[in-house]
């Protein structure tokens, strides 16, 4: 099979709502929609899935935090495969220097499908910074770039490794609202049967 036939284009739109319950504890809820834009060498617009996610995060200080998450993914209603229940444990470490923030995120996931369970380990390195100056002010833009590696293990399939590269531009619309858009490239299962996916990302993050 050619690389062209292994290429799929997606759109992914996310609305996230974050709430700071205390100085050390935050909660977030997200609604995510993923839809096909290009598949089988043709342009199209077709829904693939809808996700509902929740994360609870304990902040030890500015640099260190731990999170627990639960996510439900519905694909059956769109005839696109099995639904999924996902549990996530996360450790995040970040530093900041001269207006540039560096983030290291480690995730362990348990993905429960109808006929199998997948255990996935993830590491993501992120860099973000304001486009103008060292401090992000209201109405200004910023850039976010990430690289992530993933390892998926299950009894039903061989171990799979993935790489994801993303770059987005964001705007601090108000003190409580951010909007982001950009692209993410995913090199999937490149040790088994390589797939290529390109995502057009749009995200809104609201603090309440």
């Amino acid at each position: 099979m050619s690389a062209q036939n292994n290429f799929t284009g997606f759109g992914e739109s996310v609305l996230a709502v974050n709430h700071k319950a205390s100085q050390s504890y935050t909660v977030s809820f997200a609604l995510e929609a993923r839809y096909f834009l290009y598949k089988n060498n043709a342009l199209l617009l077709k829904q693939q899935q809808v996700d509902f996610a929740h994360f609870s995060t304990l902040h030890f200080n500015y640099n260190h935090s731990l999170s627990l998450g639960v996510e439900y993914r519905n694909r059956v209603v769109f005839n696109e495969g099995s639904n999924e229940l996902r549990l996530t444990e996360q450790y995040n470490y970040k530093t900041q220097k001269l207006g540039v923030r560096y983030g290291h995120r480690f995730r362990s996931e348990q993905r429960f499908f109808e006929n199998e369970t997948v255990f996935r380990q993830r590491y993501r390195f992120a860099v973000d910074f304001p486009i103008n100056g060292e401090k992000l002010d209201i109405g200004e833009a910023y850039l976010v770039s990430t690289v992530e590696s993933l390892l998926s293990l299950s009894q039903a399939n061989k171990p799979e490794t993935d790489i994801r590269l993303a770059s987005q531009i964001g705007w601090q619309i108000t003190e409580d609202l951010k909007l982001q858009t950009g692209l993410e490239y995913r090199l999937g299962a490149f040790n088994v049967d390589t797939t290529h996916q390109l995502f057009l990302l749009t995200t809104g993050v609201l603090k309440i």
Side-chain angles (χ1 to χ4, degrees):
M1 182 176 290
S2 67
Q4 184 180 13
N5 290 332
N6 277 344
F7 174 78
T8 308
F10 290 96
E12 190 165 271
S13 300
V14 180
L15 175 61
V17 178
N18 301 333
H19 175 65
K20 188 175 183 179
S22 69
Q23 284 296 111
S24 59
Y25 177 63
T26 60
V27 294
S28 65
F29 298 89
L31 173 63
E32 176 183 311
R34 182 184 299 177
Y35 37 93
F36 294 103
L37 297 177
Y38 182 89
K39 185 180 181 183
N40 297 328
N41 300 323
L43 296 173
L44 76 161
L45 182 60
K46 184 179 185 295
Q47 193 75 25
Q48 186 194 41
Q49 65 193 43
V50 172
D51 295 17
F52 305 91
H54 163 71
F55 270 89
S56 290
T57 301
L58 181 63
H59 303 268
F60 297 102
N61 50 42
Y62 174 81
N63 304 96
H64 305 271
S65 66
L66 287 176
S67 302
L68 294 177
V70 58
E71 179 177 342
Y72 174 71
R73 171 172 292 172
N74 193 314
R75 284 185 171 177
V76 169
V77 71
F78 305 109
N79 297 315
E80 289 294 339
S82 171
N83 291 343
E84 175 188 347
L85 177 65
R86 181 185 306 182
L87 304 179
T88 301
E89 303 81 42
Q90 173 180 297
Y91 168 69
N92 196 68
Y93 172 72
K94 62 183 179 181
T95 58
Q96 188 165 342
K97 185 176 182 180
L98 299 177
V100 180
R101 185 167 56 181
Y102 306 92
H104 302 269
R105 190 183 75 182
F106 301 86
R107 277 186 174 180
S108 180
E109 297 176 334
Q110 301 82 51
R111 308 179 65 190
F112 301 98
F113 300 92
E114 182 179 354
N115 296 316
E116 68 170 330
T117 300
V118 178
F119 299 91
R120 187 163 68 176
Q121 311 305 314
R122 305 171 60 167
Y123 166 70
R124 189 190 73 177
F125 175 68
V127 177
D128 69 88
F129 54 89
I131 292 178
N132 298 311
E134 296 184 7
K135 182 183 177 182
L136 182 64
D137 295 316
I138 303 300
E140 293 187 344
Y142 59 92
L143 290 175
V144 183
S145 294
T146 62
V147 56
E148 184 173 22
S149 60
L150 303 90
L151 173 64
S152 298
L153 304 171
S154 71
Q155 291 185 336
N157 298 294
K158 295 180 180 179
E160 295 183 0
T161 53
D162 305 76
I163 294 290
R164 299 179 180 180
L165 303 170
S167 186
Q168 299 187 69
I169 184 171
W171 294 270
Q172 188 74 48
I173 305 299
T174 68
E175 185 177 350
D176 298 322
L177 177 63
K178 294 192 297 186
L179 299 179
Q180 290 183 187
T181 186
L183 297 174
E184 180 178 74
Y185 169 70
R186 297 185 181 183
L187 181 65
F190 62 84
N191 63 316
V192 180
D193 185 16
T194 304
T195 61
H196 304 268
Q197 299 175 338
L198 185 65
F199 285 74
L200 174 62
L201 307 174
T202 53
T203 304
V205 180
L206 177 66
K207 292 194 297 183
I208 60 173

